[in-house]
């Protein structure tokens, strides 16, 4: 236990400063010979329970994973689903803003830059569950803060992680729509953050994702604006407009896709009916 801090830091330094040498070395395992970097990454992800350690050790572990993702991509890919499992375990229960930025970046990279085989469905769900536990981000630096991390920094990093892969689409979109219905304190800030994040993610996920979820987006906006006392009508309206724009990306002018008649027109008719009744 006492050796973990030195061991993790040592692995980081070796991978960073002795990369050329490390790339020539192999490690004999029960499954045959593997590159030493693969063995080191596998052992660290499996044997080091990152959440149990101090902030500094956790940060070192996350920095090492980031280094591996950036400079040892091919070797890390050899871990297969163990990579996603290890990352999901490493980022659990984090609360320090410095480590959260690193955690969000680690997730973004593994989802965006590595094959789907490296993140199983179970690991995908675990990663999402951890990311969503931080939403909404209300962090404000304490008085006299010297770290320099802001709430906007964390919100931006979380949005980047949420939108890193289309595989997150069916988890992120329903979650953010549910979050926009939050009736607890600071509801305005939560709704605004949910709608902004949703638009950000849809822009990354693309037109097909927007088309798939457009009906639910329109229904949520209609219910919240027309049938509640929300003060966030502008946020919902902006989300609807931007979602429609994204969904229509690439659709030739004058063409009316079947999904428009099926999912969009009925919702817009209901909105118009609510408006005519003064709701």
């Amino acid at each position: 236990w006492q050796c973990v801090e030195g061991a993790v830091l040592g692995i980081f330094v070796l991978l960073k400063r002795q990369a050329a040498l490390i790339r020539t070395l192999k490690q004999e395992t029960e499954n045959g010979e593997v590159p030493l970097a693969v063995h080191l990454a596998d052992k660290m992800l499996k044997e080091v329970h990152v959440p149990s350690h101090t902030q500094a050790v956790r940060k070192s572990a996350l920095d090492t994973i980031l280094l591996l993702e950036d400079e040892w991509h091919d070797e890390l890919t050899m871990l297969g689903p163990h990579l996603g499992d290890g990352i999901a375990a490493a980022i659990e229960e984090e609360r320090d803003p410095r480590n959260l930025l690193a955690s969000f970046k680690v997730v973004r990279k593994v989802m965006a830059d590595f094959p789907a085989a490296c993140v199983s469905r179970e690991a995908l769900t675990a990663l999402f569950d951890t990311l969503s536990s931080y939403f909404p981000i209300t962090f404000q630096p304490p008085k006299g803060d010297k770290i320099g991390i802001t709430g906007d920094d964390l919100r931006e990093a979380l949005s980047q992680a949420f939108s890193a892969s289309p595989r997150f689409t069916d988890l992120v979109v329903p979650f953010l729509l549910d979050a926009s219905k939050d009736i607890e304190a600071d509801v305005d800030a939560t709704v605004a953050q949910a709608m902004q994040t949703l638009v950000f993610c849809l822009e990354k996920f693309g037109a097909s994702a927007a088309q798939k979820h457009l009906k639910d987006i329109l229904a949520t906006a209609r219910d919240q604006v027309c049938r509640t006392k929300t003060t966030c009508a502008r946020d919902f309206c902006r989300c609807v407009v931007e979602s429609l724009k994204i969904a229509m990306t690439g659709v030739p002018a004058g063409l009316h896709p079947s999904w428009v008649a099926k999912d969009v027109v009925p919702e817009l008719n209901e909105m118009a009916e609510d408006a005519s009744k003064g709701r």
Side-chain angles (χ1 to χ4, degrees), residues 43-119:
K43 284 297 183 181
M44 189 184 78
L45 290 172
K46 286 182 178 178
E47 305 296 338
V48 178
H49 186 250
V50 177
S52 298
H53 294 277
T54 63
Q55 182 275 328
V57 177
R58 300 197 308 273
K59 184 63 163 58
S60 291
L62 293 168
D63 286 343
T64 302
I65 296 172
L66 283 170
L67 176 64
L68 286 162
E69 289 179 324
D70 283 337
E71 300 183 16
W72 299 81
H73 178 278
D74 292 347
E75 290 83 357
L76 210 55
T77 299
M78 294 174 66
L79 293 179
H82 295 305
L83 175 59
D85 294 341
I87 289 175
I91 67 171
E92 287 181 342
E93 302 175 13
E94 187 54 69
R95 288 293 180 267
D96 187 276
R98 294 164 291 186
N99 293 4
L100 282 176
L101 282 181
S103 294
F104 296 159
K105 191 173 183 180
V106 163
V107 175
R108 176 177 65 79
K109 285 180 174 293
V110 75
M111 293 302 301
D113 299 341
F114 287 80
C118 288
V119 182

Side-chain angles (χ1 to χ4, degrees), residues 129-148:
D129 287 343
T130 297
L131 292 177
S132 61
S133 71
Y134 298 111
F135 189 91
I137 290 178
T138 57
F139 173 78
Q140 292 184 340
K143 187 175 181 180
D145 174 68
K146 296 181 180 179
I147 297 175

Side-chain angles (χ1 to χ4, degrees), residues 5-208:
E5 181 173 9
V8 171
L9 184 58
I11 291 173
F12 179 87
V13 172
L14 283 173
L15 293 171
K16 186 69 175 177
R17 299 183 182 177
Q18 300 295 329
L21 174 61
I22 296 295
R23 292 185 194 281
T24 68
L25 302 177
K26 306 289 184 179
Q27 175 68 38
E28 191 67 39
T29 72
E30 60 183 17
N31 296 318
E33 198 175 66
V34 299
L36 180 58
V38 175
H39 177 71
L40 291 173
D42 187 44
K43 284 297 183 181
M44 189 184 78
L45 290 172
K46 286 182 178 178
E47 305 296 338
V48 178
H49 186 250
V50 177
S52 298
H53 294 277
T54 63
Q55 182 275 328
V57 177
R58 300 197 308 273
K59 184 63 163 58
S60 291
L62 293 168
D63 286 343
T64 302
I65 296 172
L66 283 170
L67 176 64
L68 286 162
E69 289 179 324
D70 283 337
E71 300 183 16
W72 299 81
H73 178 278
D74 292 347
E75 290 83 357
L76 210 55
T77 299
M78 294 174 66
L79 293 179
H82 295 305
L83 175 59
D85 294 341
I87 289 175
I91 67 171
E92 287 181 342
E93 302 175 13
E94 187 54 69
R95 288 293 180 267
D96 187 276
R98 294 164 291 186
N99 293 4
L100 282 176
L101 282 181
S103 294
F104 296 159
K105 191 173 183 180
V106 163
V107 175
R108 176 177 65 79
K109 285 180 174 293
V110 75
M111 293 302 301
D113 299 341
F114 287 80
C118 288
V119 182
S120 67
R121 180 64 192 181
E122 292 75 16
L124 179 77
T125 302
L127 290 171
F128 170 75
D129 287 343
T130 297
L131 292 177
S132 61
S133 71
Y134 298 111
F135 189 91
I137 290 178
T138 57
F139 173 78
Q140 292 184 340
K143 187 175 181 180
D145 174 68
K146 296 181 180 179
I147 297 175
I149 295 174
T150 67
D152 285 341
D153 292 333
L154 292 170
R155 284 185 282 273
E156 170 70 16
L158 179 59
S159 295
Q160 292 283 358
F162 269 152
S163 62
S165 168
R167 295 181 69 195
F168 272 145
T169 303
D170 291 341
L171 295 171
V172 169
V173 175
F175 169 77
L176 292 173
L177 289 177
D178 284 343
S180 72
K181 304 171 187 176
D182 195 340
I183 60 173
E184 298 180 357
D186 298 324
V187 64
D188 288 4
T190 298
V191 170
Q193 193 175 151
M195 294 295 95
Q196 290 167 8
T197 305
L198 179 55
V199 170
F200 183 94
C201 289
L202 287 177
E203 289 174 342
K204 296 294 184 69
F205 293 151
S208 61

